[in-house]
Each structure stands twice: as structure tokens, then as C-alpha cells.
Amino acid sequence: DGAVALFVKARAIEITLAACDTAQDSDEILVPVLRIHRLMVQADESCARICAKAGLVPLIMRFLDRNVDQRPDQNTGAEDAVAILCDMASSGLKFQSLLVQHHVLPRFAKLLKVWQAMLGLHLERCAGEDTTLVLLDKLVMLCVSTIAELSTEERWHGNIVESKALRACVAVLPVARDARSVSEAARVLGNLGGRQPGRWIVLKCGGVKAIMDACARLDGKQGGSGRGMSSDVVPALDLINAMRNLCLHQRVSDLVMHGPGLRLLIDACIHCTDDRNSNAFATLVQMALSSEAASHQLLDRLMLTESVTYDAAALRSLRDRITAECARKSAHSLQALSVL
């Protein structure tokens, strides 16, 4: 902390950024500067404000534009550049406004497409894990996480759609190797699904199918831990939350009921004791309440679920819980109407 204070007091942030401008954004100078400024942005929000005011964001944008087609490695500065923007996106509305103003969303949509293509080619050519694969996974995750942070504010939803950042997240969701990327992409779709127009847009751009594909990659016996995904993060919670919002659209509810998403919801209700359980149960109740036909169909499908995976008694218990909660909610709604 003392070193950060001295750095700020000496106006080193402004001086180092001015040096980059003087050197015409020479990567030889810019790469170490990005590493320093990443540490500054992470250290303190006041430092992040100074960096932003001094022009760090447009500097990063120019750097990414120059290097968009270059395969990243540990020394190119790409990770530091994207991590700085990701940290800023999670630091409040003023920082988010700055990122949107400097067109971070369309840049990231393009970068995600390029880096996903690089990942595919590199996977074909290499026999196992290497530093390039690990770095590309991390870059994809940081990009998607930045978009996810922006998606928490409804005011940016239009920008996310128009910049094609939503489509980029949809493309990442079913194939990402890092489970954190799956979680963050699901968070984007779920946040946009918080309103009716967003639910329709997510459905139209293939987002629901992408969620079903991601659900199919999860191991139901382990509460949603990913097969073929790196990291210890369990993406099931964000997938469940996305389905909960999106299932308010009847078409989405039907797709979930007949897809791998239903199995994930059932698994969370039976095997989990955390938020996955309560949110999955709320989603199933919501699906059952959408119509009388949907209720019968859902309850029937519960009993048709593979008995090898779930104990029959556990499925009956879940079915009874859903029936009881639907009855309670229906009675409460009727009581409210009678008061009116």
C-alpha cells in the first residue's frame, strides 16, 4: 500500500502513460506499463480513477486493435490489458460508462471470435495442455466476465445486443473449456433474460440451445461440475439462474422441459443443499405454474427420469414438494384476487 501511495504521489501513472504516447504506443514500452497499471487498478479504486482519467482505456483499445490477430503469449500484454478492463467493469457505473463509450463491447465480441478460433486450431495441433491454451482460456474468460459485469446494468443491454457481444457469449457457452467462462456466459444470458424483450432476443439468437448444450456437458451426479472443463468452479448455479429468468417465456420453458436443462434442475433439487437447490426448485415450480398442461407434463417427466440416476423415493418427494408449492402459490393468488 505504501508503494502504491508513493507511485500516485509521484504522478507516475500520468508519466508512464504520457511516455507511451510519446513513444507512439510502442509495445516494447506499453507491455510493462500495462503490467504496472493492472496492479494499480487492482490495488485501489482511486488509482483506477486516476488511470482512467489519464487515458488508460483508449491506450488499451489501440493496443488490442494492433494485436487482434496476433497469437497471445505470456509476454504480449494481452492478459494485462483485458484484465484491466474486466476490473474496471466491476468497479461501478462510471467505469462501465467509460468502457461502453470507448466501444469495448464490439472489440471484445471480435476478440472472442478470434481467440475461440485460435483455441480450436491450437487444440488440433497440440497433444496436451500448454501455456498458450491456458492463456487463451483465461483471455476468453476475462472477456466474457467483462460483458457479464456490464450485463448487470439494464442500460447496457441494448449495447450488448447491438455490438454482437451477446452472440459471442452464446458461441462461447457450449464449447468453453474453462468452467468460469461457462458461468460468466450464462450470467450474461440470465441477466438479459430478466425482462421480456431480453428473453425473446436470447431465444432468437440461439441462447437457449447454447444453455441446453452446456447443461448436457455437466455431470448430473456431481451437482453440475463440468466434464471436459478446467478449473474448480461449478457453473451449474449460473445456468440454473439463467433458466429461471428465461423460463418466464413459455417457449423457453418447453425447451428446458424437453432438454438437458431439466435433468440439471432435478439433480440440483435432489443432490445439492446450497443456492442451486432453492433456485432450481423455484424454476421447476415456475414452469409448473405456467399452465395446467405444463404442470401435468412436468410432473409426468419427473417420474420418467432415469431410475438409475435418481432414487424413486427422491423423485416422488420432489414431485410432492412441487405440487404442494404450486397449490400454495395458487391459493395465495386467489386470496389476493378476492381481496381486490
Side-chain angles (χ1 to χ4, degrees):
D1 290 344
V4 170
L6 287 172
F7 200 83
V8 172
K9 188 175 181 180
R11 296 184 61 81
I13 292 174
E14 295 90 341
I15 291 168
T16 51
L17 290 177
C20 291
D21 283 333
T22 302
Q24 297 183 334
D25 293 347
S26 165
D27 286 354
E28 188 177 349
I29 295 175
L30 184 54
V31 169
V33 167
L34 287 173
R35 175 58 54 89
I36 294 168
H37 284 265
R38 178 181 181 181
L39 296 173
M40 299 299 292
V41 168
Q42 290 175 337
D44 185 83
E45 190 172 319
S46 62
C47 291
R49 283 196 296 270
I50 296 170
C51 288
K53 189 175 179 181
L56 180 58
V57 174
L59 190 73
I60 290 174
M61 290 295 98
R62 294 195 299 272
F63 169 77
L64 291 174
D65 284 344
R66 285 198 308 275
N67 295 280
V68 65
D69 294 321
Q70 178 183 343
R71 192 177 78 179
D73 61 42
Q74 301 293 345
N75 301 314
T76 61
E79 181 183 340
D80 293 319
V82 178
I84 288 169
L85 300 179
C86 186
D87 285 329
M88 285 186 170
S90 62
S91 298
L93 193 56
K94 287 186 178 180
F95 287 103
Q96 291 182 354
S97 298
L98 183 67
L99 299 188
V100 173
Q101 176 188 336
H102 284 95
H103 310 292
V104 166
L105 284 166
R107 287 328 201 293
F108 274 16
K110 182 177 181 179
L111 284 170
L112 281 171
K113 187 175 180 179
V114 170
W115 285 336
Q116 282 287 102
M118 287 182 182
L119 258 173
L121 287 172
H122 201 70
L123 280 168
E124 290 176 5
R125 294 171 182 171
C126 71
E129 292 288 311
D130 65 9
T131 55
T132 299
L133 281 177
V134 172
L135 179 57
L136 283 167
D137 281 335
K138 190 162 188 179
L139 289 170
V140 168
M141 183 276 294
L142 287 168
C143 274
V144 178
S145 183
T146 304
I147 298 167
E149 286 298 329
L150 291 171
S151 74
T152 60
E153 281 288 335
E154 188 180 314
R155 69 183 68 199
W156 310 131
H157 287 186
N159 301 84
I160 290 171
V161 174
E162 291 165 13
S163 65
K164 300 184 179 178
L166 174 61
R167 287 190 178 276
C169 291
V170 169
V172 165
L173 188 52
V175 298
R177 288 166 14 99
D178 191 325
R180 293 171 298 179
S181 297
V182 176
S183 288
E184 295 299 279
R187 196 153 68 97
V188 174
L189 272 59
N191 287 339
L192 264 71
R195 295 180 64 248
Q196 180 59 33
R199 289 190 281 275
W200 182 82
I201 290 169
V202 170
L203 177 62
K204 185 180 178 183
C205 75
V208 178
K209 183 183 183 304
I211 289 173
M212 294 302 100
D213 290 343
C215 289
R217 298 171 66 205
L218 301 182
D219 184 351
K221 293 180 182 178
Q222 298 178 28
S225 58
R227 285 196 303 266
M229 298 180 194
S230 59
S231 90
D232 296 326
V233 177
V234 177
L237 178 59
D238 290 301
L239 288 167
I240 289 167
N241 289 342
M243 286 189 282
R244 183 175 182 179
N245 279 350
L246 292 165
C247 277
L248 289 167
H249 192 296
Q250 185 61 56
R251 175 59 180 153
V252 177
S253 183
D254 292 341
L255 290 170
V256 171
M257 195 179 301
H258 294 89
L262 180 62
R263 177 166 174 149
L264 180 61
L265 294 171
I266 294 171
D267 182 78
C269 288
I270 292 177
H271 292 304
C272 300
T273 56
D274 53 15
D275 287 345
R276 287 172 289 175
N277 180 300
S278 56
N279 291 359
F281 181 71
T283 306
L284 290 173
V285 170
Q286 178 179 289
M287 291 166 66
L289 286 171
S290 63
S291 70
E292 187 174 348
S295 177
H296 289 305
Q297 194 172 28
L298 175 62
L299 297 176
D300 287 343
R301 289 190 66 81
L302 280 176
M303 301 315 294
L304 291 173
T305 306
E306 298 175 33
S307 58
V308 175
T309 304
Y310 306 109
D311 179 71
L315 286 171
R316 282 196 296 271
S317 174
L318 177 58
R319 177 176 171 146
D320 292 343
R321 284 174 58 208
I322 292 171
T323 302
E325 182 64 11
C326 287
R328 187 190 71 79
K329 284 182 173 289
S330 297
H332 181 76
S333 297
L334 286 172
Q335 186 178 12
L337 285 172
S338 67
V339 171
L340 292 174

